[in-house]
């Protein structure tokens, strides 16, 4: 039986990943280690909370003692989703992002090394590569050039992960994924916030001209890719995970308004975010060649299903709305940046 430690498993992607593992590998067991910050929500896990192979531990990745206590359970694979993830919040409080995303990752690595885990997977982001012009794509070999305190903290964590492979021989992988979408995403990010505000017939603030380009991937495709990387990724390697689906933010906002039968006059352009990246695009050829993985979810269907999910589950997101950042109420962007 394989034992997983999933950190940040009460967040958006982590909760989907835990459900994926328990469905696809029913004899595996999962420890979900999460601090339950504003972004952590155990309601994301109601479908598996009674599964005897699922265990929730409330804890902080910055606390070595708490991390060591959970790592003692004979963990095979660590998948680190725990992070502060919202760019606007990082502009308001960069220090917290260094504490959680950099120091917290190092605490986890240290414990994983002591307990000789089989693999440590760091869930990173395309944002560590910075911004692209109209053409080009990010490869795993692209130099890191993060623009925001969020992406800088993720880039620093990636380097720390690589140092544990080089220095201590800890088997690691880093996955760098584009913007995710799907159910259970906190309503400060582009798609859920647009849906929530449109449903309430409120203005939808869009940064600048709204023509920033993001590459979108359904969260279920991301989870399948991480599962493969944990089991089969070559130790020490970075894997890009892209959606092959570039869209301008404004196009997404308009599509949501159309689906909800709301007027485009709700769109309100506001001053652009400082240091705002213009375009991200990923080449996931390496992952495709080694695993056969490709994004399976067509975006238009995935977006329609996601909108329907938010329409049908207002209780899930309505009580979270007061916790949006002032910035996200005044303008917004894509997936983790967003
Ligand atoms: P999220 O904000 O929804 O969830 C983060 C989770 O981490 C929450 O459950 C929170 O409680 C937990 N957490 C925060 N600080 C913690 C701490 N000190 N100790 C333990 N738990 C803590 O994030 P998400 O969107 O699901 O992203 C998950 C990971 O994927 C992040 O590392 C992010 O950088 C990365 N990522 C996200 C996207 C995206 O589009 N959302 C894209 C690429 C990469």
């Amino acid at each position: 039986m394989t034992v997983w430690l999933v950190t940040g498993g009460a967040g958006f992607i982590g909760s989907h990943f835990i459900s994926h593992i328990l469905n696809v590998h029913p004899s595996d067991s999962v420890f979900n280690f999460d601090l339950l910050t504003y972004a952590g929500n155990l309601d994301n896990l109601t479908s598996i909370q009674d599964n005897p192979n699922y265990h929730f531990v409330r804890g902080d990745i910055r606390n070595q003692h708490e991390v060591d206590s959970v790592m003692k359970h004979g963990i095979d694979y660590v998948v680190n989703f725990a992070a502060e993830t919202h760019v606007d919040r990082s502009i308001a409080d960069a220090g917290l992002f260094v504490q959680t995303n950099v120091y917290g990752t190092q605490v986890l690595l240290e414990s994983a090394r002591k307990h000789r885990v089989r693999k440590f997977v760091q869930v990173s982001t395309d944002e560590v590569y910075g911004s692209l012009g109209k053409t080009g794509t990010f490869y795993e070999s692209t130099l890191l050039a993060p623009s925001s305190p969020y992406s800088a903290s993720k880039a620093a964590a990636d380097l720390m992960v690589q140092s544990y492979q080089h220095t201590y021989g800890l088997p690691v992988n880093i996955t760098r994924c584009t913007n995710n979408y799907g159910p259970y995403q906190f309503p400060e990010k582009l798609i859920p916030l647009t849906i929530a505000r449109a449903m309430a017939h409120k203005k939808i603030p869009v940064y600048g001209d709204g023509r920033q380009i993001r590459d979108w991937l359904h969260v279920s495709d991301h989870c399948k890719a991480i599962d493969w990387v944990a089991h089969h990724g070559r130790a020490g390697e970075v894997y890009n995970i892209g959606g092959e689906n570039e869209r301008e933010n404004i196009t997404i906002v308009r599509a949501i308004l159309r689906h909800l039968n709301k007027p485009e006059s709700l769109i309100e352009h506001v001053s652009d975010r400082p240091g705002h990246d213009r375009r991200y695009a990923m080449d996931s050829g390496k992952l495709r060649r080694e695993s056969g993985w490709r994004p399976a979810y067509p975006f238009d269907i995935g977006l329609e299903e996601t909108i329907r999910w938010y329409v049908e589950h207002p209780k899930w997101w309505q009580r979270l709305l007061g916790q949006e950042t002032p910035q996200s109420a005044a303008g917004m962007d894509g997936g983790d940046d967003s």
Side-chain angles (χ1 to χ4, degrees), residues 8 10-14 34-37 39-40 59-62 81-83 85 100 123-125 150 154 177-180 185 189 335-336:
F12 166 45
I13 309 173
D34 197 299
L35 185 58
L36 299 183
T37 67
D60 189 338
I61 60 167
R62 295 167 296 181
F81 293 94
T85 62
T100 300
V123 181
S124 187
T125 167
Y150 164 68
K154 293 295 289 186
C177 190
T178 50
N179 280 22
N180 283 217
Q185 186 169 30
K189 309 284 169 82
D336 50 334

PDB file of all heavy atoms in Angstrom, residues 8 10-14 34-37 39-40 59-62 81-83 85 100 123-125 150 154 177-180 185 189 335-336, ligand 1:
ATOM      1  N   GLY A   8      -1.479  21.046   1.740  1.00  0.00           N
ATOM      2  CA  GLY A   8      -2.396  21.981   1.062  1.00  0.00           C
ATOM      3  C   GLY A   8      -3.547  21.241   0.400  1.00  0.00           C
ATOM      4  O   GLY A   8      -4.137  21.726  -0.564  1.00  0.00           O
ATOM      5  N   ALA A  10      -6.507  20.819   1.345  1.00  0.00           N
ATOM      6  CA  ALA A  10      -7.849  21.399   1.492  1.00  0.00           C
ATOM      7  C   ALA A  10      -8.044  22.583   0.546  1.00  0.00           C
ATOM      8  O   ALA A  10      -9.081  23.232   0.568  1.00  0.00           O
ATOM      9  CB  ALA A  10      -8.084  21.841   2.940  1.00  0.00           C
ATOM     10  N   GLY A  11      -7.038  22.854  -0.277  1.00  0.00           N
ATOM     11  CA  GLY A  11      -7.166  23.935  -1.260  1.00  0.00           C
ATOM     12  C   GLY A  11      -7.783  23.418  -2.549  1.00  0.00           C
ATOM     13  O   GLY A  11      -8.264  22.278  -2.634  1.00  0.00           O
ATOM     14  N   PHE A  12      -7.751  24.260  -3.551  1.00  0.00           N
ATOM     15  CA  PHE A  12      -8.415  23.958  -4.830  1.00  0.00           C
ATOM     16  C   PHE A  12      -7.822  22.699  -5.491  1.00  0.00           C
ATOM     17  O   PHE A  12      -8.491  21.661  -5.612  1.00  0.00           O
ATOM     18  CB  PHE A  12      -8.281  25.198  -5.724  1.00  0.00           C
ATOM     19  CG  PHE A  12      -8.591  25.008  -7.172  1.00  0.00           C
ATOM     20  CD1 PHE A  12      -9.716  24.297  -7.589  1.00  0.00           C
ATOM     21  CD2 PHE A  12      -7.754  25.566  -8.150  1.00  0.00           C
ATOM     22  CE1 PHE A  12      -9.995  24.143  -8.944  1.00  0.00           C
ATOM     23  CE2 PHE A  12      -8.038  25.423  -9.494  1.00  0.00           C
ATOM     24  CZ  PHE A  12      -9.145  24.706  -9.894  1.00  0.00           C
ATOM     25  N   ILE A  13      -6.566  22.757  -5.894  1.00  0.00           N
ATOM     26  CA  ILE A  13      -6.008  21.636  -6.670  1.00  0.00           C
ATOM     27  C   ILE A  13      -5.725  20.444  -5.756  1.00  0.00           C
ATOM     28  O   ILE A  13      -5.979  19.290  -6.115  1.00  0.00           O
ATOM     29  CB  ILE A  13      -4.723  22.057  -7.416  1.00  0.00           C
ATOM     30  CG1 ILE A  13      -4.956  23.343  -8.205  1.00  0.00           C
ATOM     31  CG2 ILE A  13      -4.269  20.942  -8.361  1.00  0.00           C
ATOM     32  CD1 ILE A  13      -3.698  23.935  -8.830  1.00  0.00           C
ATOM     33  N   GLY A  14      -5.215  20.723  -4.540  1.00  0.00           N
ATOM     34  CA  GLY A  14      -4.886  19.633  -3.618  1.00  0.00           C
ATOM     35  C   GLY A  14      -6.088  18.751  -3.309  1.00  0.00           C
ATOM     36  O   GLY A  14      -5.980  17.525  -3.230  1.00  0.00           O
ATOM     37  N   ASP A  34      -2.789  20.301   6.233  1.00  0.00           N
ATOM     38  CA  ASP A  34      -3.199  21.631   5.770  1.00  0.00           C
ATOM     39  C   ASP A  34      -3.451  22.522   6.979  1.00  0.00           C
ATOM     40  O   ASP A  34      -4.037  22.101   7.977  1.00  0.00           O
ATOM     41  CB  ASP A  34      -4.479  21.507   4.923  1.00  0.00           C
ATOM     42  CG  ASP A  34      -4.745  22.753   4.080  1.00  0.00           C
ATOM     43  OD1 ASP A  34      -4.923  23.848   4.661  1.00  0.00           O
ATOM     44  OD2 ASP A  34      -4.783  22.618   2.846  1.00  0.00           O
ATOM     45  N   LEU A  35      -3.032  23.769   6.855  1.00  0.00           N
ATOM     46  CA  LEU A  35      -3.212  24.729   7.949  1.00  0.00           C
ATOM     47  C   LEU A  35      -4.623  25.299   7.981  1.00  0.00           C
ATOM     48  O   LEU A  35      -5.026  25.910   8.961  1.00  0.00           O
ATOM     49  CB  LEU A  35      -2.183  25.868   7.755  1.00  0.00           C
ATOM     50  CG  LEU A  35      -2.088  26.938   8.833  1.00  0.00           C
ATOM     51  CD1 LEU A  35      -1.767  26.335  10.204  1.00  0.00           C
ATOM     52  CD2 LEU A  35      -1.044  27.982   8.460  1.00  0.00           C
ATOM     53  N   LEU A  36      -5.378  25.113   6.917  1.00  0.00           N
ATOM     54  CA  LEU A  36      -6.718  25.718   6.774  1.00  0.00           C
ATOM     55  C   LEU A  36      -6.623  27.240   6.901  1.00  0.00           C
ATOM     56  O   LEU A  36      -7.221  27.846   7.787  1.00  0.00           O
ATOM     57  CB  LEU A  36      -7.719  25.136   7.784  1.00  0.00           C
ATOM     58  CG  LEU A  36      -7.975  23.628   7.660  1.00  0.00           C
ATOM     59  CD1 LEU A  36      -9.033  23.181   8.672  1.00  0.00           C
ATOM     60  CD2 LEU A  36      -8.412  23.239   6.239  1.00  0.00           C
ATOM     61  N   THR A  37      -5.859  27.842   6.021  1.00  0.00           N
ATOM     62  CA  THR A  37      -5.854  29.300   5.904  1.00  0.00           C
ATOM     63  C   THR A  37      -7.180  29.696   5.250  1.00  0.00           C
ATOM     64  O   THR A  37      -8.034  28.848   4.991  1.00  0.00           O
ATOM     65  CB  THR A  37      -4.691  29.781   5.011  1.00  0.00           C
ATOM     66  OG1 THR A  37      -4.938  29.344   3.670  1.00  0.00           O
ATOM     67  CG2 THR A  37      -3.357  29.253   5.497  1.00  0.00           C
ATOM     68  N   ALA A  39      -7.778  30.004   2.356  1.00  0.00           N
ATOM     69  CA  ALA A  39      -7.970  29.261   1.097  1.00  0.00           C
ATOM     70  C   ALA A  39      -8.264  27.779   1.314  1.00  0.00           C
ATOM     71  O   ALA A  39      -8.638  27.083   0.372  1.00  0.00           O
ATOM     72  CB  ALA A  39      -6.727  29.403   0.217  1.00  0.00           C
ATOM     73  N   GLY A  40      -8.087  27.285   2.542  1.00  0.00           N
ATOM     74  CA  GLY A  40      -8.293  25.864   2.812  1.00  0.00           C
ATOM     75  C   GLY A  40      -9.725  25.617   3.250  1.00  0.00           C
ATOM     76  O   GLY A  40     -10.269  26.363   4.069  1.00  0.00           O
ATOM     77  N   GLY A  59      -2.060  21.263  10.240  1.00  0.00           N
ATOM     78  CA  GLY A  59      -0.697  21.623  10.609  1.00  0.00           C
ATOM     79  C   GLY A  59      -0.105  22.613   9.631  1.00  0.00           C
ATOM     80  O   GLY A  59      -0.682  22.897   8.584  1.00  0.00           O
ATOM     81  N   ASP A  60       1.070  23.108  10.027  1.00  0.00           N
ATOM     82  CA  ASP A  60       1.717  24.208   9.302  1.00  0.00           C
ATOM     83  C   ASP A  60       3.029  23.700   8.702  1.00  0.00           C
ATOM     84  O   ASP A  60       3.884  23.184   9.436  1.00  0.00           O
ATOM     85  CB  ASP A  60       1.982  25.339  10.319  1.00  0.00           C
ATOM     86  CG  ASP A  60       2.457  26.616   9.670  1.00  0.00           C
ATOM     87  OD1 ASP A  60       2.978  26.578   8.540  1.00  0.00           O
ATOM     88  OD2 ASP A  60       2.293  27.673  10.327  1.00  0.00           O
ATOM     89  N   ILE A  61       3.210  23.862   7.407  1.00  0.00           N
ATOM     90  CA  ILE A  61       4.467  23.382   6.804  1.00  0.00           C
ATOM     91  C   ILE A  61       5.677  24.172   7.309  1.00  0.00           C
ATOM     92  O   ILE A  61       6.808  23.754   7.091  1.00  0.00           O
ATOM     93  CB  ILE A  61       4.432  23.384   5.246  1.00  0.00           C
ATOM     94  CG1 ILE A  61       4.196  24.784   4.673  1.00  0.00           C
ATOM     95  CG2 ILE A  61       3.420  22.381   4.720  1.00  0.00           C
ATOM     96  CD1 ILE A  61       4.458  24.891   3.172  1.00  0.00           C
ATOM     97  N   ARG A  62       5.459  25.282   7.992  1.00  0.00           N
ATOM     98  CA  ARG A  62       6.602  26.035   8.540  1.00  0.00           C
ATOM     99  C   ARG A  62       7.028  25.480   9.900  1.00  0.00           C
ATOM    100  O   ARG A  62       7.990  25.980  10.487  1.00  0.00           O
ATOM    101  CB  ARG A  62       6.213  27.512   8.694  1.00  0.00           C
ATOM    102  CG  ARG A  62       5.939  28.201   7.382  1.00  0.00           C
ATOM    103  CD  ARG A  62       5.254  29.529   7.595  1.00  0.00           C
ATOM    104  NE  ARG A  62       3.931  29.352   8.188  1.00  0.00           N
ATOM    105  CZ  ARG A  62       3.096  30.336   8.477  1.00  0.00           C
ATOM    106  NH1 ARG A  62       3.443  31.588   8.222  1.00  0.00           N
ATOM    107  NH2 ARG A  62       1.921  30.093   9.013  1.00  0.00           N
ATOM    108  N   PHE A  81       1.438  20.947  -2.319  1.00  0.00           N
ATOM    109  CA  PHE A  81       0.565  21.979  -2.879  1.00  0.00           C
ATOM    110  C   PHE A  81       0.488  23.187  -1.950  1.00  0.00           C
ATOM    111  O   PHE A  81       0.002  24.243  -2.359  1.00  0.00           O
ATOM    112  CB  PHE A  81      -0.878  21.459  -3.026  1.00  0.00           C
ATOM    113  CG  PHE A  81      -1.082  20.372  -4.037  1.00  0.00           C
ATOM    114  CD1 PHE A  81      -1.043  19.038  -3.672  1.00  0.00           C
ATOM    115  CD2 PHE A  81      -1.345  20.686  -5.366  1.00  0.00           C
ATOM    116  CE1 PHE A  81      -1.266  18.036  -4.599  1.00  0.00           C
ATOM    117  CE2 PHE A  81      -1.566  19.697  -6.309  1.00  0.00           C
ATOM    118  CZ  PHE A  81      -1.526  18.364  -5.924  1.00  0.00           C
ATOM    119  N   ALA A  82       0.864  23.016  -0.675  1.00  0.00           N
ATOM    120  CA  ALA A  82       0.629  24.087   0.317  1.00  0.00           C
ATOM    121  C   ALA A  82       1.379  25.340  -0.082  1.00  0.00           C
ATOM    122  O   ALA A  82       2.582  25.312  -0.323  1.00  0.00           O
ATOM    123  CB  ALA A  82       1.082  23.624   1.699  1.00  0.00           C
ATOM    124  N   ALA A  83       0.668  26.435  -0.163  1.00  0.00           N
ATOM    125  CA  ALA A  83       1.296  27.699  -0.562  1.00  0.00           C
ATOM    126  C   ALA A  83       0.310  28.830  -0.361  1.00  0.00           C
ATOM    127  O   ALA A  83      -0.898  28.621  -0.283  1.00  0.00           O
ATOM    128  CB  ALA A  83       1.707  27.644  -2.044  1.00  0.00           C
ATOM    129  N   THR A  85      -1.091  31.614  -2.662  1.00  0.00           N
ATOM    130  CA  THR A  85      -1.164  31.468  -4.114  1.00  0.00           C
ATOM    131  C   THR A  85      -1.676  32.688  -4.871  1.00  0.00           C
ATOM    132  O   THR A  85      -1.751  32.619  -6.100  1.00  0.00           O
ATOM    133  CB  THR A  85      -2.089  30.281  -4.478  1.00  0.00           C
ATOM    134  OG1 THR A  85      -3.409  30.558  -3.990  1.00  0.00           O
ATOM    135  CG2 THR A  85      -1.582  28.986  -3.912  1.00  0.00           C
ATOM    136  N   THR A 100       5.862  30.995   3.841  1.00  0.00           N
ATOM    137  CA  THR A 100       5.126  29.764   3.512  1.00  0.00           C
ATOM    138  C   THR A 100       5.771  29.046   2.329  1.00  0.00           C
ATOM    139  O   THR A 100       6.066  27.851   2.403  1.00  0.00           O
ATOM    140  CB  THR A 100       3.655  30.107   3.172  1.00  0.00           C
ATOM    141  OG1 THR A 100       3.069  30.735   4.308  1.00  0.00           O
ATOM    142  CG2 THR A 100       2.869  28.858   2.810  1.00  0.00           C
ATOM    143  N   VAL A 123       4.801  21.190  -6.448  1.00  0.00           N
ATOM    144  CA  VAL A 123       3.831  21.681  -7.435  1.00  0.00           C
ATOM    145  C   VAL A 123       4.104  23.164  -7.657  1.00  0.00           C
ATOM    146  O   VAL A 123       3.816  23.999  -6.813  1.00  0.00           O
ATOM    147  CB  VAL A 123       2.390  21.445  -6.947  1.00  0.00           C
ATOM    148  CG1 VAL A 123       1.400  21.944  -7.992  1.00  0.00           C
ATOM    149  CG2 VAL A 123       2.169  19.955  -6.662  1.00  0.00           C
ATOM    150  N   SER A 124       4.700  23.453  -8.806  1.00  0.00           N
ATOM    151  CA  SER A 124       5.086  24.830  -9.099  1.00  0.00           C
ATOM    152  C   SER A 124       4.237  25.379 -10.250  1.00  0.00           C
ATOM    153  O   SER A 124       3.207  24.786 -10.603  1.00  0.00           O
ATOM    154  CB  SER A 124       6.591  24.876  -9.399  1.00  0.00           C
ATOM    155  OG  SER A 124       7.025  26.199  -9.536  1.00  0.00           O
ATOM    156  N   THR A 125       4.683  26.468 -10.817  1.00  0.00           N
ATOM    157  CA  THR A 125       3.812  27.234 -11.705  1.00  0.00           C
ATOM    158  C   THR A 125       4.581  27.785 -12.908  1.00  0.00           C
ATOM    159  O   THR A 125       5.796  28.019 -12.818  1.00  0.00           O
ATOM    160  CB  THR A 125       3.183  28.401 -10.906  1.00  0.00           C
ATOM    161  OG1 THR A 125       2.578  29.321 -11.808  1.00  0.00           O
ATOM    162  CG2 THR A 125       4.219  29.166 -10.080  1.00  0.00           C
ATOM    163  N   TYR A 150       4.887  36.603  -5.420  1.00  0.00           N
ATOM    164  CA  TYR A 150       4.384  35.221  -5.465  1.00  0.00           C
ATOM    165  C   TYR A 150       5.281  34.352  -6.328  1.00  0.00           C
ATOM    166  O   TYR A 150       5.793  33.319  -5.882  1.00  0.00           O
ATOM    167  CB  TYR A 150       2.937  35.186  -5.991  1.00  0.00           C
ATOM    168  CG  TYR A 150       2.509  33.800  -6.428  1.00  0.00           C
ATOM    169  CD1 TYR A 150       2.334  32.777  -5.498  1.00  0.00           C
ATOM    170  CD2 TYR A 150       2.302  33.498  -7.782  1.00  0.00           C
ATOM    171  CE1 TYR A 150       1.969  31.487  -5.899  1.00  0.00           C
ATOM    172  CE2 TYR A 150       1.932  32.220  -8.188  1.00  0.00           C
ATOM    173  CZ  TYR A 150       1.763  31.217  -7.242  1.00  0.00           C
ATOM    174  OH  TYR A 150       1.413  29.947  -7.642  1.00  0.00           O
ATOM    175  N   LYS A 154       7.850  31.147  -5.452  1.00  0.00           N
ATOM    176  CA  LYS A 154       7.735  29.797  -6.035  1.00  0.00           C
ATOM    177  C   LYS A 154       9.057  29.419  -6.720  1.00  0.00           C
ATOM    178  O   LYS A 154       9.496  28.269  -6.641  1.00  0.00           O
ATOM    179  CB  LYS A 154       6.579  29.732  -7.037  1.00  0.00           C
ATOM    180  CG  LYS A 154       5.184  29.889  -6.437  1.00  0.00           C
ATOM    181  CD  LYS A 154       4.788  28.765  -5.495  1.00  0.00           C
ATOM    182  CE  LYS A 154       4.511  27.453  -6.192  1.00  0.00           C
ATOM    183  NZ  LYS A 154       3.997  26.417  -5.246  1.00  0.00           N
ATOM    184  N   CYS A 177       2.894  24.157 -13.845  1.00  0.00           N
ATOM    185  CA  CYS A 177       1.625  24.082 -14.555  1.00  0.00           C
ATOM    186  C   CYS A 177       1.078  25.470 -14.867  1.00  0.00           C
ATOM    187  O   CYS A 177       1.374  26.444 -14.189  1.00  0.00           O
ATOM    188  CB  CYS A 177       0.617  23.310 -13.693  1.00  0.00           C
ATOM    189  SG  CYS A 177      -0.883  22.918 -14.591  1.00  0.00           S
ATOM    190  N   THR A 178       0.272  25.512 -15.890  1.00  0.00           N
ATOM    191  CA  THR A 178      -0.412  26.744 -16.271  1.00  0.00           C
ATOM    192  C   THR A 178      -1.646  26.944 -15.380  1.00  0.00           C
ATOM    193  O   THR A 178      -1.888  26.188 -14.447  1.00  0.00           O
ATOM    194  CB  THR A 178      -0.893  26.637 -17.718  1.00  0.00           C
ATOM    195  OG1 THR A 178      -1.580  25.416 -17.829  1.00  0.00           O
ATOM    196  CG2 THR A 178       0.243  26.646 -18.684  1.00  0.00           C
ATOM    197  N   ASN A 179      -2.479  27.916 -15.747  1.00  0.00           N
ATOM    198  CA  ASN A 179      -3.671  28.234 -14.964  1.00  0.00           C
ATOM    199  C   ASN A 179      -4.652  27.078 -14.942  1.00  0.00           C
ATOM    200  O   ASN A 179      -5.033  26.572 -15.994  1.00  0.00           O
ATOM    201  CB  ASN A 179      -4.387  29.434 -15.582  1.00  0.00           C
ATOM    202  CG  ASN A 179      -3.740  30.742 -15.204  1.00  0.00           C
ATOM    203  OD1 ASN A 179      -2.572  30.773 -14.837  1.00  0.00           O
ATOM    204  ND2 ASN A 179      -4.498  31.807 -15.277  1.00  0.00           N
ATOM    205  N   ASN A 180      -5.073  26.720 -13.742  1.00  0.00           N
ATOM    206  CA  ASN A 180      -6.081  25.664 -13.585  1.00  0.00           C
ATOM    207  C   ASN A 180      -7.466  26.277 -13.446  1.00  0.00           C
ATOM    208  O   ASN A 180      -7.608  27.396 -12.946  1.00  0.00           O
ATOM    209  CB  ASN A 180      -5.817  24.887 -12.293  1.00  0.00           C
ATOM    210  CG  ASN A 180      -4.681  23.902 -12.392  1.00  0.00           C
ATOM    211  OD1 ASN A 180      -4.739  22.835 -11.824  1.00  0.00           O
ATOM    212  ND2 ASN A 180      -3.619  24.257 -13.099  1.00  0.00           N
ATOM    213  N   GLN A 185     -12.611  26.272  -6.782  1.00  0.00           N
ATOM    214  CA  GLN A 185     -11.546  27.281  -6.797  1.00  0.00           C
ATOM    215  C   GLN A 185     -12.023  28.497  -6.023  1.00  0.00           C
ATOM    216  O   GLN A 185     -13.149  28.988  -6.237  1.00  0.00           O
ATOM    217  CB  GLN A 185     -11.178  27.660  -8.236  1.00  0.00           C
ATOM    218  CG  GLN A 185      -9.972  28.592  -8.290  1.00  0.00           C
ATOM    219  CD  GLN A 185      -9.409  28.774  -9.688  1.00  0.00           C
ATOM    220  OE1 GLN A 185     -10.145  28.703 -10.662  1.00  0.00           O
ATOM    221  NE2 GLN A 185      -8.114  29.019  -9.786  1.00  0.00           N
ATOM    222  N   LYS A 189     -10.236  34.219  -7.739  1.00  0.00           N
ATOM    223  CA  LYS A 189      -9.543  33.982  -9.001  1.00  0.00           C
ATOM    224  C   LYS A 189     -10.497  34.254 -10.171  1.00  0.00           C
ATOM    225  O   LYS A 189     -11.725  34.251 -10.015  1.00  0.00           O
ATOM    226  CB  LYS A 189      -9.005  32.540  -9.047  1.00  0.00           C
ATOM    227  CG  LYS A 189      -8.191  32.140  -7.804  1.00  0.00           C
ATOM    228  CD  LYS A 189      -6.787  32.724  -7.792  1.00  0.00           C
ATOM    229  CE  LYS A 189      -6.075  32.558  -6.460  1.00  0.00           C
ATOM    230  NZ  LYS A 189      -5.456  31.299  -6.206  1.00  0.00           N
ATOM    231  N   GLY A 335      -5.209  32.227 -13.108  1.00  0.00           N
ATOM    232  CA  GLY A 335      -5.372  31.014 -12.274  1.00  0.00           C
ATOM    233  C   GLY A 335      -4.735  31.117 -10.919  1.00  0.00           C
ATOM    234  O   GLY A 335      -5.400  31.424  -9.950  1.00  0.00           O
ATOM    235  N   ASP A 336      -3.423  30.826 -10.773  1.00  0.00           N
ATOM    236  CA  ASP A 336      -2.829  31.050  -9.459  1.00  0.00           C
ATOM    237  C   ASP A 336      -2.403  32.504  -9.368  1.00  0.00           C
ATOM    238  O   ASP A 336      -2.448  33.125  -8.335  1.00  0.00           O
ATOM    239  CB  ASP A 336      -1.654  30.102  -9.168  1.00  0.00           C
ATOM    240  CG  ASP A 336      -0.616  30.047 -10.269  1.00  0.00           C
ATOM    241  OD1 ASP A 336      -0.952  30.314 -11.424  1.00  0.00           O
ATOM    242  OD2 ASP A 336       0.528  29.730  -9.949  1.00  0.00           O
TER     243      ASP A 336
HETATM  244  P1  LIG B   1      -5.103  27.298  -2.862  1.00  0.00           P
HETATM  245  O1  LIG B   1      -4.760  28.691  -2.472  1.00  0.00           O
HETATM  246  O2  LIG B   1      -6.480  26.968  -3.298  1.00  0.00           O
HETATM  247  O3  LIG B   1      -4.742  26.291  -1.670  1.00  0.00           O
HETATM  248  C1  LIG B   1      -3.572  26.399  -0.897  1.00  0.00           C
HETATM  249  C2  LIG B   1      -3.720  25.477   0.301  1.00  0.00           C
HETATM  250  O4  LIG B   1      -2.506  25.539   1.083  1.00  0.00           O
HETATM  251  C3  LIG B   1      -4.875  25.875   1.239  1.00  0.00           C
HETATM  252  O5  LIG B   1      -5.638  24.721   1.563  1.00  0.00           O
HETATM  253  C4  LIG B   1      -4.156  26.414   2.470  1.00  0.00           C
HETATM  254  O6  LIG B   1      -4.889  26.223   3.676  1.00  0.00           O
HETATM  255  C5  LIG B   1      -2.870  25.614   2.447  1.00  0.00           C
HETATM  256  N1  LIG B   1      -1.766  26.273   3.184  1.00  0.00           N
HETATM  257  C6  LIG B   1      -1.369  27.566   3.055  1.00  0.00           C
HETATM  258  N2  LIG B   1      -0.356  27.805   3.926  1.00  0.00           N
HETATM  259  C7  LIG B   1      -0.098  26.642   4.577  1.00  0.00           C
HETATM  260  C8  LIG B   1       0.844  26.253   5.567  1.00  0.00           C
HETATM  261  N3  LIG B   1       1.721  27.121   6.088  1.00  0.00           N
HETATM  262  N4  LIG B   1       0.836  24.967   6.006  1.00  0.00           N
HETATM  263  C9  LIG B   1      -0.065  24.080   5.506  1.00  0.00           C
HETATM  264  N5  LIG B   1      -0.993  24.401   4.585  1.00  0.00           N
HETATM  265  C10 LIG B   1      -1.008  25.665   4.115  1.00  0.00           C
HETATM  266  O7  LIG B   1      -4.030  26.914  -3.994  1.00  0.00           O
HETATM  267  P2  LIG B   1      -4.219  26.117  -5.369  1.00  0.00           P
HETATM  268  O8  LIG B   1      -4.723  27.037  -6.397  1.00  0.00           O
HETATM  269  O9  LIG B   1      -4.895  24.821  -5.103  1.00  0.00           O
HETATM  270  O10 LIG B   1      -2.680  25.838  -5.715  1.00  0.00           O
HETATM  271  C11 LIG B   1      -1.997  24.702  -5.151  1.00  0.00           C
HETATM  272  C12 LIG B   1      -0.549  24.733  -5.599  1.00  0.00           C
HETATM  273  O11 LIG B   1      -0.489  24.707  -7.029  1.00  0.00           O
HETATM  274  C13 LIG B   1       0.215  25.976  -5.163  1.00  0.00           C
HETATM  275  O12 LIG B   1       1.497  25.596  -4.742  1.00  0.00           O
HETATM  276  C14 LIG B   1       0.278  26.844  -6.424  1.00  0.00           C
HETATM  277  O13 LIG B   1       1.449  27.622  -6.434  1.00  0.00           O
HETATM  278  C15 LIG B   1       0.306  25.786  -7.503  1.00  0.00           C
HETATM  279  N6  LIG B   1      -0.286  26.193  -8.797  1.00  0.00           N
HETATM  280  C16 LIG B   1      -1.569  26.652  -8.866  1.00  0.00           C
HETATM  281  C17 LIG B   1      -2.121  26.971 -10.113  1.00  0.00           C
HETATM  282  C18 LIG B   1      -3.546  27.463 -10.245  1.00  0.00           C
HETATM  283  O14 LIG B   1      -3.959  27.794 -11.368  1.00  0.00           O
HETATM  284  N7  LIG B   1      -4.339  27.503  -9.198  1.00  0.00           N
HETATM  285  C19 LIG B   1      -1.347  26.832 -11.271  1.00  0.00           C
HETATM  286  C20 LIG B   1      -0.039  26.354 -11.154  1.00  0.00           C
HETATM  287  C21 LIG B   1       0.474  26.029  -9.912  1.00  0.00           C
END
